[in-house]
Amino acid sequence: MPALQRAGNWINLYILKPIGQILVFVVVSAAIMSALALLLGAVLNTPWHGIDLLKTRKGIDLFNQVVKQLPDMLLDGISIGFVYAVIALGYTMVYGVLRFINFAHSEIFMVGGVIGFEVMTRLGEANALSTMPPLFVILLMILMAMAFCGILAVVIERIAYKPLRGAPKLVPLISAIGVSFLLTDVVRAVQALSRNVFNMPYPLDRVGNPPRIFDLISFDPITQLSKGQQFLNPPFLQTRIPLVGNLTTNMTTVIIIVSAIIMVVGLNYFVNATKLGKGIRAVSQDQTTAALMGINVNQMITLTFLIGGALGGAAGVLFGLKVANITPYIGFFPGLKAFTAAVLGGIGNITGALLGGILLGLLEAFFSALLPFFPALGTGYSDIFAFSVLILVLLFRPTGLLGKKEDEKV
Amino acid sequence: MIQNAQPKANPDQMARRSAIFFAVLLAFAFLLMPWRNATSGPNTGMGLLRIGTEYGAFSLLIFLVPLAALAGFAAGFSQRIAPHSPTFFQIAARVGGAAGLIYVAVAMIYGLQTTGSVGGMLSVQGMGIWVTLFTAAGLIGLTYNPNVTFIIVWIGVSFFFVQGIRREMTLFPLWSSIAFPMLTISPFLVLSIKMPRAAQIALLVLVVCVLLPMVGIEDTFYLELIIQISIFAAMAIGLNIVIGFAGLLDLGYIAFFAVGAYLWGMFTSTAADTVFKTSNALASPDAFWLFLLLGVIAAGITGVLLGLPVLRLRGDYLAIVTLGFGEIIRILVSNLSNISSNPIRRVNLTNGAQGLPGIAHPILPQGLYDLVKSIAAAIGVPLNTQSSVEAVTLQLFFYFLVLTVGGIAVIIAARLDNSPIGRAWTAIREDEVAAVAMGVPRVRMKLLAFAMGASFAGAMGVIFAAKQSFVSPESFSFIQSIFILVIVIVGGMGSIRGVLLGAVVVTLLNLQVLKNFSLLINSLKNLDWVVPIINFPIRNWPSQLEPARYERLVFGVLLIVMMIYRPEGISPAKRRRMEMQEAADQTLEEAAAEGAPRPGMDKIE
């Protein structure tokens, strides 16, 4: 039966293979990182080196701590890594097509988080949050954020980047910095006007969780959650999901990982198997030739921004679900880390962005879990590592792990 | 600048200039009255109607100056532009001039009738002597150069404008954000208008070293503003070397500023018990001059350290790495409060996020305090308490110190631009591969650019720490780097004058104009003012939308708009202007086909 065989091939090529690749990435990077962490734990366990900075807290067995925290660190790192990977896809796609760092992407990601918050809070205010199916709520949040941020990215491209096409590289980059500042303050102004606060806590506990009757009378998700409101059921998003052995994780992590995988696989399909995807690839290789072949270059660039923006928006919602609190300034660090991830994997390369994201997420999780054991360092340094990685990568392998060397045109 | 007592003025240009000038004068005619009224009672008067009062006389005085100018321009027009058919600007100039004359005439008659004598009018507010001086200067300038007259009138009007407004006035924020920028911009008008070199220098010194400090003594807020402008101007000169000359986009420039500031702060702050375990400050305030030099050296070395690893990177990567470097420095200073694993042997270098308080300032000779006190008394602003004398003297000292260091920076930058080093930078900026092929030592030149740019910021950092007597990591965040970048971009990359102008415009926008808008909205709210035409009661303006809190929005829009419409900046460098003309000569199709760079913008990668 050729039809069935074709379907089998299709599934194999566009679903199983990418998922397999993702699995390999995750497993290999997790293994390498764990090995490094264990090695570090073993080496630094005793202060044989005499370096004050690297001495651990008294009475702490670093190796034991590493072993004990390893599963948590891995899951945490993989989930945040997927978020970085999804943001990094936006950077890398735009870079692939326009050779341009879309500095405003971090703010598009932030706007995604804000849209997720708005959807969730409005549902909560309408008392629909607790009665709707939880997964539907999250799907709605992600889809709304994707739609809004995709269009936002296209509008930004149209207004702030398109008039600058063909200009020296720094010109659109500076314009993008301008856009990113503008977006931060616009979101701040809108939030200040509508809610009078900058903090946007996700009412996570309310998802799929009917409150007790007397709470329904006047429920304000922002103020009352902090007062330790009682719920009938344990919050949906904190449901423990059993993994291997007696290892469990919560629902949020699963949702983040699954939706990120769906998006990556979907993007892979779109770019590699559809005609539009072929158009994007053609434009990224050579704009002039692509135009000669009858590809509408402008349309492809718009499409790239649409997809990149949509992915950024979705990542914003996932990030919001993970950290549970969004501010207008939240875009900067995740954006930079995602950019680092894109560079680490090889900018312009979709697979590379995925690998870079996962590696960076793991690195971050390990750093922030282990830094507290070093009193001379402390958690304050956990944001330095991304920049250090970026600088090291650019120093020793500017093309990234999976990137190809681009010859400089003279 | 060409030495030419009687420059060949382009009639159109002159007419345009005077049309603008008359427009400004007419605007004043309507603005002048309400300010004086506000001091005496409710703000009800319209300019012309109140001219007969005592306060009206003051505004009349100011119009003596324009009168002189008016006569000069009228004379100029009749000779120079009569042969041509009247253009829009010529008509506007004549109508404006006529209106101004009528206004002044009416005002004079009313003023004489009510105060009785010309002498009585001149003594109002003690301004008479200044008005007479400026009028005389204007008349003298007029006899040999109308440009000098124009600029003298501009300086005089704006100086009186600043002096004439008082904080009690309802519309003070509005007048203040028109008047003070007019005065601070005047040095650039002096530079951009053709006149003899001697007159130029004299006017520059008058504005920068006399009028601005005078205004500053009267209102210390202005003093703070001019110091901030000078600090940012000097830093922008440094960043301009890196971005404008060598074409390396540095998004972490504020880090070098932090190096300088923390260098002085760590050694003299009362909070940091430093590596040497003493509870007192390590360096005495006398070491300031030494540390100024050390700050330059330390920042320069940091610049080389940053430069070394990033030399190979292309433009956009370089931007991100420098951004990361800036953030690393910021994170470091906010975490270096404890660098020991042993809680007892706590080593505090930077006092973390709380910042370093009580940083020393250099000790000034007693004579300086006395001098400032007597000057203040002479200009009618007696400083009564010892502390205010000290504060003002110290601020003035820092102002002139920053001016001196900034002046040195300008000279160094200008000399570098025209030197073999500057040409090497230009070559690297334009085409790195070709430059290297021609034997330009790329590594050395790039490192030099980083080091030079950084060292200016280092010097400013030391001065900043001493001036503020407090530094914290907040002063060195990413937005500060962007702020300096905005200055360079708005002013014009590569152009020293442009960068200085950018520093004035952007700093005033950030520190004065936006704040004043907030104040203005508040005071209008108190008055329960209703926006005319659209009938919007100002008290309904949401308090969350205070303009002063949205500087990011303003900078963002500024960056985007500048990049789209004028990427070469307000006052572009000569080379870029030439390129723009060159590009205008080519047809657009040719330019597009060759993929030529946008007009007026260098290839900077």
Side-chain angles (χ1 to χ4, degrees):
Chain A
M1 276 179 285
L4 198 66
Q5 202 177 3
R6 237 187 0 248
N9 269 346
W10 188 90
I11 290 173
N12 189 21
L13 197 58
Y14 295 118
I15 297 190
L16 292 183
K17 216 175 140 198
I19 290 182
Q21 201 178 18
I22 293 171
L23 262 178
V24 170
F25 281 166
V26 170
V27 170
V28 171
S29 9
I32 293 175
M33 291 301 299
S34 315
L36 279 178
L38 290 171
L39 186 69
L40 198 76
V43 169
L44 295 181
N45 208 3
T46 51
W48 56 272
H49 45 72
I51 303 170
D52 192 51
L53 276 180
L54 297 178
K55 274 182 194 159
T56 50
R57 228 173 264 286
K58 278 215 167 69
I60 293 269
D61 187 352
L62 191 64
F63 186 76
N64 263 350
Q65 288 292 340
V66 173
V67 172
K68 210 162 78 184
Q69 298 201 9
L70 199 55
D72 278 339
M73 293 195 293
L74 283 176
L75 281 170
D76 203 37
I78 290 168
S79 64
I80 195 71
F82 270 110
V83 175
Y84 290 157
V86 175
I87 311 172
L89 288 174
Y91 279 111
T92 220
M93 282 191 71
V94 169
Y95 191 90
V97 170
L98 285 180
R99 300 284 178 276
F100 151 64
I101 298 172
N102 184 8
F103 205 90
H105 191 62
S106 57
E107 299 333 305
I108 291 173
F109 155 81
M110 177 273 290
V111 171
V114 174
I115 298 290
F117 165 78
E118 285 293 332
V119 171
M120 213 172 187
T121 315
R122 269 155 217 273
L123 285 179
E125 280 160 1
N127 276 323
L129 201 55
S130 43
T131 47
M132 278 161 93
L135 285 178
F136 178 74
V137 171
I138 285 160
L139 189 68
L140 188 70
M141 284 162 66
I142 293 180
L143 288 182
M144 293 282 278
M146 286 179 89
F148 190 91
C149 291
I151 293 167
L152 179 68
V154 170
V155 171
I156 290 171
E157 196 270 334
R158 184 70 200 76
I159 294 172
Y161 306 153
K162 199 172 176 192
L164 306 175
R165 222 172 276 162
K169 258 183 187 170
L170 289 192
V171 173
L173 182 67
I174 292 167
S175 180
I177 294 174
V179 173
S180 113
F181 273 63
L182 177 70
L183 277 181
T184 312
D185 256 9
V186 168
V187 169
R188 194 162 71 110
V190 170
Q191 284 301 322
L193 280 182
S194 61
R195 296 182 198 282
N196 215 358
V197 283
F198 302 140
N199 271 342
M200 291 169 255
Y202 275 43
L204 293 178
D205 290 354
R206 302 256 298 145
V207 178
N209 221 342
R212 291 184 302 191
I213 300 300
F214 57 84
D215 290 336
L216 279 174
I217 300 162
S218 65
F219 181 77
D220 176 9
I222 292 169
T223 56
Q224 292 197 3
L225 272 186
S226 53
K227 290 179 196 158
Q229 207 195 8
Q230 300 293 310
F231 291 104
L232 290 178
N233 312 316
F236 167 76
L237 286 168
Q238 283 166 29
T239 321
R240 302 305 294 184
I241 310 266
L243 294 173
V244 196
N246 52 6
L247 189 63
T248 61
T249 182
N250 60 16
M251 196 55 158
T252 315
T253 311
V254 174
I255 288 175
I256 290 173
I257 293 178
V258 169
S259 35
I261 289 179
I262 292 173
M263 275 184 275
V264 172
V265 171
L267 181 72
N268 179 55
Y269 172 75
F270 179 81
V271 171
N272 289 323
T274 63
K275 217 167 178 181
L276 285 173
K278 202 182 250 178
I280 290 180
R281 279 185 292 150
V283 171
S284 83
Q285 273 180 11
D286 188 335
Q287 281 194 15
T288 322
T289 316
L292 289 175
M293 297 295 121
I295 294 169
N296 186 340
V297 174
N298 276 335
Q299 216 174 51
M300 288 306 135
I301 292 174
T302 307
L303 186 66
T304 309
F305 272 90
L306 183 76
I307 296 171
L311 289 172
V317 174
L318 298 181
F319 190 76
L321 290 176
K322 187 167 173 62
V323 302
N325 195 1
I326 294 283
T327 70
Y329 303 104
I330 205 152
F332 185 69
F333 276 111
L336 259 170
K337 285 170 189 165
F339 175 76
T340 308
V343 174
L344 178 62
I347 196 156
N349 182 326
I350 291 176
T351 327
L354 184 68
L355 178 62
I358 293 168
L359 268 179
L360 208 76
L362 283 168
L363 208 59
E364 177 181 320
F366 277 76
F367 261 91
S368 31
L370 296 181
L371 269 179
F373 296 124
F374 299 92
L377 293 171
T379 49
Y381 291 103
S382 62
D383 276 331
I384 283 193
F385 79 95
F387 302 117
S388 317
V389 169
L390 178 66
I391 292 174
L392 289 177
V393 171
L394 286 175
L395 280 183
F396 295 109
R397 203 179 153 83
T399 52
L401 294 176
L402 301 180
K404 289 189 198 78
K405 190 165 164 40
E406 240 176 76
D407 286 329
E408 198 172 345
K409 278 179 202 155
V410 180
Chain B
M1 204 54 61
I2 302 157
Q3 298 262 353
N4 190 352
Q6 203 71 38
K8 279 181 216 155
N10 175 356
D12 271 347
Q13 218 173 24
M14 266 199 62
R16 196 173 303 148
R17 205 179 289 155
S18 32
I20 296 167
F21 180 72
F22 287 129
V24 171
L25 282 192
L26 273 182
F28 274 130
F30 292 100
L31 293 180
L32 279 168
M33 290 316 300
W35 345 317
R36 303 316 298 184
N37 287 342
T39 56
S40 61
N43 184 3
T44 51
M46 286 293 295
L48 265 174
L49 299 177
R50 281 300 184 104
I51 201 81
T53 64
E54 188 198 350
Y55 293 107
F58 168 76
S59 65
L60 180 62
L61 290 178
I62 288 185
F63 276 87
L64 288 176
V65 184
L67 193 64
L70 206 65
F73 281 114
F77 292 144
S78 60
Q79 285 173 3
R80 286 162 206 245
I81 56 182
H84 302 279
S85 59
T87 64
F88 169 76
F89 286 112
Q90 288 164 15
I91 296 168
R94 281 170 194 166
V95 173
L101 268 179
I102 293 168
Y103 177 81
V104 171
V106 171
M108 278 190 84
I109 293 162
Y110 269 109
L112 273 176
Q113 272 178 356
T114 45
T115 54
S117 71
V118 179
M121 278 162 39
L122 285 178
S123 66
V124 175
Q125 299 277 327
M127 291 287 169
I129 182 76
W130 286 100
V131 176
T132 320
L133 274 179
F134 272 110
T135 312
L139 284 168
I140 294 164
L142 184 142
T143 54
Y144 85 112
N145 190 332
N147 288 340
V148 179
T149 319
F150 168 75
I151 196 68
I152 289 176
V153 171
W154 174 282
I155 294 172
V157 168
S158 55
F159 177 65
F160 289 125
F161 196 0
V162 175
Q163 295 240 313
I165 50 181
R166 291 280 172 268
R167 285 201 175 268
E168 307 85 67
M169 295 172 193
T170 316
L171 294 182
F172 171 78
L174 180 64
W175 307 140
S176 156
S177 37
I178 297 171
F180 192 65
M182 270 180 70
L183 186 59
T184 42
I185 289 293
S186 57
F188 298 96
L189 291 177
V190 173
L191 286 173
S192 64
I193 288 175
K194 249 182 203 166
M195 65 173 81
R197 183 34 75 92
Q200 222 166 24
I201 293 174
L203 285 173
L204 280 182
V205 171
L206 174 74
V207 175
V208 176
C209 299
V210 180
L211 297 186
L212 284 175
M214 264 180 68
V215 169
I217 292 176
E218 284 171 29
D219 189 336
T220 46
F221 177 70
Y222 291 136
L223 191 56
E224 176 67 25
L225 270 182
I226 52 178
I227 299 175
Q228 293 285 350
I229 291 174
S230 327
I231 288 182
F232 281 117
M235 292 221 288
I237 290 287
L239 183 61
N240 185 42
I241 291 179
V242 186
I243 296 187
F245 292 175
L248 310 160
L249 182 57
D250 186 345
L251 291 183
Y253 186 66
I254 202 75
F256 307 122
F257 187 55
V259 167
Y262 269 92
L263 183 73
W264 179 238
M266 274 174 358
F267 279 90
T268 60
S269 163
T270 48
D273 57 345
T274 56
V275 260
F276 303 104
K277 308 273 80 185
T278 54
S279 54
N280 297 325
L282 270 181
S284 85
D286 295 330
F288 179 77
W289 301 103
L290 174 68
F291 268 81
L292 197 57
L293 191 66
L294 284 180
V296 169
I297 295 167
I301 291 172
T302 322
V304 172
L305 286 182
L306 167 67
L308 270 178
V310 299
L311 281 179
R312 290 191 306 164
L313 301 179
R314 293 199 310 272
D316 38 5
Y317 278 146
L318 180 75
I320 303 283
V321 168
T322 48
L323 189 164
F325 172 75
E327 283 299 302
I328 287 179
I329 293 278
R330 189 182 62 80
I331 296 172
L332 272 181
V333 294
S334 40
N335 285 291
L336 282 179
S337 52
N338 178 18
I339 50 165
S340 167
S341 58
N342 187 342
I344 302 151
R345 285 195 304 121
R346 186 165 174 275
V347 177
N348 184 357
L349 284 178
T350 62
N351 208 21
Q354 286 91 43
L356 292 171
I359 297 169
H361 59 76
I363 293 162
L364 307 179
Q366 183 58 37
L368 218 51
Y369 292 105
D370 297 339
L371 182 69
V372 169
K373 197 174 176 183
S374 52
I375 288 175
I379 61 168
V381 194
L383 298 169
N384 294 323
T385 60
Q386 187 61 30
S387 62
S388 69
V389 172
E390 272 173 19
V392 169
T393 311
L394 210 57
Q395 295 296 76
L396 278 176
F397 163 76
F398 281 121
Y399 173 64
F400 283 104
L401 178 62
V402 175
L403 273 191
T404 315
V405 177
I408 295 171
V410 168
I411 293 168
I412 292 177
R415 300 292 298 167
L416 276 174
D417 196 19
N418 295 321
S419 69
I421 295 173
R423 284 195 291 277
W425 282 337
T426 311
I428 291 174
R429 179 186 72 207
E430 299 288 327
D431 191 334
E432 197 171 321
V433 179
V436 174
M438 297 311 288
V440 172
R442 173 175 60 173
V443 173
R444 210 187 310 157
M445 285 301 141
K446 277 190 173 180
L447 285 182
L448 190 65
F450 267 113
M452 289 300 305
S455 55
F456 292 156
M460 284 301 133
V462 173
I463 296 177
F464 175 80
K467 183 187 98 62
Q468 299 291 96
S469 80
F470 171 76
V471 290
S472 77
E474 266 175 39
S475 314
F476 312 105
S477 57
F478 178 52
I479 185 156
Q480 296 292 327
S481 290
I482 293 297
F483 181 71
I484 305 171
L485 179 70
V486 173
I487 290 175
V488 175
I489 301 249
V490 167
M493 269 191 253
S495 144
I496 291 170
R497 191 192 298 175
V499 166
L500 294 176
L501 180 62
V504 172
V505 172
V506 178
T507 314
L508 282 181
L509 182 69
N510 186 31
L511 295 180
Q512 197 205 8
V513 177
L514 287 180
K515 280 198 175 75
N516 273 344
F517 272 129
S518 296
L519 290 175
L520 183 66
I521 287 173
N522 282 339
S523 60
L524 288 178
K525 272 182 179 172
N526 289 339
L527 279 184
D528 225 354
W529 188 61
V530 176
V531 182
I533 307 163
I534 54 169
N535 248 342
F536 174 75
I538 197 87
R539 84 189 109 78
N540 289 356
W541 182 265
S543 60
Q544 294 93 335
L545 288 189
E546 253 188 47
R549 302 218 301 248
Y550 288 91
E551 77 275 352
R552 283 165 183 256
L553 190 139
V554 175
F555 290 162
V557 172
L558 209 56
L559 281 180
I560 300 170
V561 169
M562 287 301 289
M563 282 302 107
I564 293 178
Y565 295 106
R566 207 175 158 85
E568 73 272 17
I570 310 176
S571 169
K574 201 187 286 169
R575 188 190 301 274
R576 287 190 168 83
R577 205 178 296 156
M578 272 153 51
E579 277 165 15
M580 193 160 61
Q581 282 160 358
E582 216 170 82
D585 292 342
Q586 290 181 341
T587 57
L588 273 176
E589 286 91 327
E590 269 175 12
E594 291 171 16
R598 275 167 70 87
M601 194 65 193
D602 285 340
K603 224 183 252 164
I604 27 179
E605 293 183 14

